[in-house]
Amino acid sequence: MPLPPAPTKRAALLSPDALDAPARSSHRGSRRSGDSRADEAAARSPQPLELFDSVGAESAGGAAAVRPARRTRPKATPAPVSAPAPQALIQVETKAPAAEPAAAPAVAAAPQAPARAKRSKSTGPAKLFVLDTNVLLHDPMCLFRFEEHDIFLPMIVLEELDGHKKGTTEVARNGRQTSRTLDALAAAQDADIDKGLKLDTTGHREAGGRLFFQTAPLDYSLPMSLPQGKADNQILGVVHALRDEYAKDRPGQPKREVVLVSKDINMRVKARALGLAADDYQNDKTLEDGDLLYAGSLALPADFWTRQSKTVESWQSGSSTFYRISGPLVPNLYINQFVYFEAPGEPSMYARVTEIRDKTAVLKTLKDYSSGKNAVWGVNTRNREQNFAMNLLMDPEIDFVTLTGTAGTGKTLMALASGLTQVLDDRRYTEIIMTRATVSVGEDIGFLPGTEEEKMGPWMGALDDNLEFLAKGDGGGAGEWGRAATNELIRSRIKVKSMNFMRGRTFLNKYVIIDEAQNLTPKQMKTLITRAGPGTKIICMGNLAQIDTPYLTEGSSGLTFAVDKFKGWPHGGHITLARGERSRLADFASDVL
């Protein structure tokens, strides 16, 4: 692959100690960075980040209030006060009211600032959120996600919760966990249901509000067109009564806003039709917009070599060229992020960020898998992003790879080709384990007979299609017997497993492929990734535009969760594949349908 002309200033080869030094991920790589990383970021950043209170709410709006505060707090920042009252929170936030308007734009403009601007905490009275049953069944920890605001549970919600506790489904498990959480809050010392249960008594200090139960009948009147016996309408009646009760200031009871929180769209529509405030539960969303998802690659500006990078050092090590760069671009880079330079009339460069130290970053040029001599199990990459992905898949130092992209971008084919090469040729892993979420696109076909692998057979059509292509390309002129032997060898090293039996397992020296990962919840994704033992590599693939699991969106999918949490980790990488290579028909259909 052609490289840009070498700069005039060259550095000596790095010493073995420098090469073996552990690479540090970018200080923007994780919202929960360690203390040492936070100290470095605080030392480099001149902005007073301590102005933002880590326990404050983000906004006064209903939707924003549901989201938790996402802030990275330097070590020097004072620890939040245990079990704070809403009034105390307001005092902490308003210590320097004049400094906040001037400091906010400075922090937002700094390179070290997070992508999303921090919003000041609400200084009004705490809101009262009435939770629908589906919110508790969706996220059992939702009780502790409302910061300083209070929560109200109607009695009918407890009745519905009791009806969903039986069974082995995810909903039943969440129902039982919610019941245990409510029992722990009610059994805490000095708990008084009439005055509200403190939500921070079980160790969740970020929850500064109280939990109220409906302990007495409430007087409300709904339109006659709404059946009174239906659970949703009873919850709407409770919200209606609470809104009227808190609509006016009374001695000992200030005026406050009452908001219904529900995952049911029709429920929210009916509430708004009745003039009631309603909002979706937003805390389960990793990103507010799917377009904000980390892409894994970055195009260098056209003036990068002349203006963006003041000093460039380069050196050769083996077949790779390394560049140490500096400049305003460095704070925006992550470890294992790919960068590329393409300009008319100039040599192109494709590299990966291998190290970020202080205000400099080290780039390493890539291996060109589009060349025939670098084919992986007979497969060559056809575009830039596929070459980026193959560099991640073939790197033994990368333990976790996530691939996203539309249909036909080559995710499964590249993962299988690199897996077969490293299992059969390099003997780096002992076998390939493949699994996927068994979520149907249409109606379920019913009971499937046979063993675990036979039951998973109908879900593994993508595996069969790609293996047929790989076996055909590798057989060469061996004839029918040679192809049959190749197929038998490949099949003996690939195991198809069901996700239902993954808990408690440990994979040693395995190459694990998780297909259709966009249909997994964050909890399921955590269960699968934590199965990895020493020497295991996990590849998660999926198309975020094809989610079939109810209640999951692009922002709340487990694949989005994994991509966002692992960005910047020295042993993980991600690439969003941009162009389909399956056929011109599939490519056109992905764009227009």
Side-chain angles (χ1 to χ4, degrees), residues 409-426:
T409 49
K411 302 182 293 294
T412 307
L413 180 64
M414 288 192 297
L416 276 176
S418 61
L420 290 173
T421 298
Q422 295 175 87
V423 170
L424 296 176
D425 295 345
D426 302 339

Side-chain angles (χ1 to χ4, degrees), residues 236-289:
L236 291 174
V238 171
V239 177
H240 191 280
L242 291 174
R243 185 199 62 176
D244 294 342
E245 182 179 350
Y246 288 99
K248 299 179 180 179
D249 283 323
R250 298 179 182 177
Q253 181 178 293
K255 179 181 178 181
R256 64 197 307 188
E257 185 180 359
V258 178
V259 181
L260 170 67
V261 180
S262 175
K263 296 292 294 181
D264 187 352
I265 298 177
N266 292 334
M267 181 79 159
R268 299 198 299 268
V269 170
K270 287 196 294 184
R272 292 179 180 126
L274 296 173
L276 305 175
D279 203 345
D280 189 10
Y281 179 64
Q282 302 283 353
N283 181 261
D284 61 332
K285 296 182 180 179
T286 305
L287 297 175
E288 298 177 10
D289 189 352

Side-chain angles (χ1 to χ4, degrees), residues 132-141 157 160-180 263 503 521 523-524 549-552:
D132 195 1
T133 314
N134 48 46
V135 178
L136 297 171
L137 296 176
H138 179 72
D139 182 9
M141 302 303 293
V157 169
E160 286 194 306
L161 198 63
D162 187 64
H164 286 88
K165 67 181 182 182
K166 296 180 181 179
T168 59
T169 62
E170 188 74 17
V171 171
R173 282 192 288 267
N174 290 344
R176 291 192 292 270
Q177 183 177 345
T178 302
S179 298
R180 288 191 292 268
K263 296 292 294 181
R503 193 174 295 279
T521 65
K523 186 177 180 181
Q524 291 171 331
T549 304
Y551 291 125
L552 274 189

Side-chain angles (χ1 to χ4, degrees), residues 297-319:
S297 61
L298 179 68
L300 297 176
D303 59 349
F304 173 74
W305 295 109
T306 57
R307 298 180 58 187
Q308 295 286 332
S309 187
K310 303 296 183 184
T311 59
V312 180
E313 299 174 340
S314 69
W315 65 93
Q316 196 83 14
S317 179
S319 60

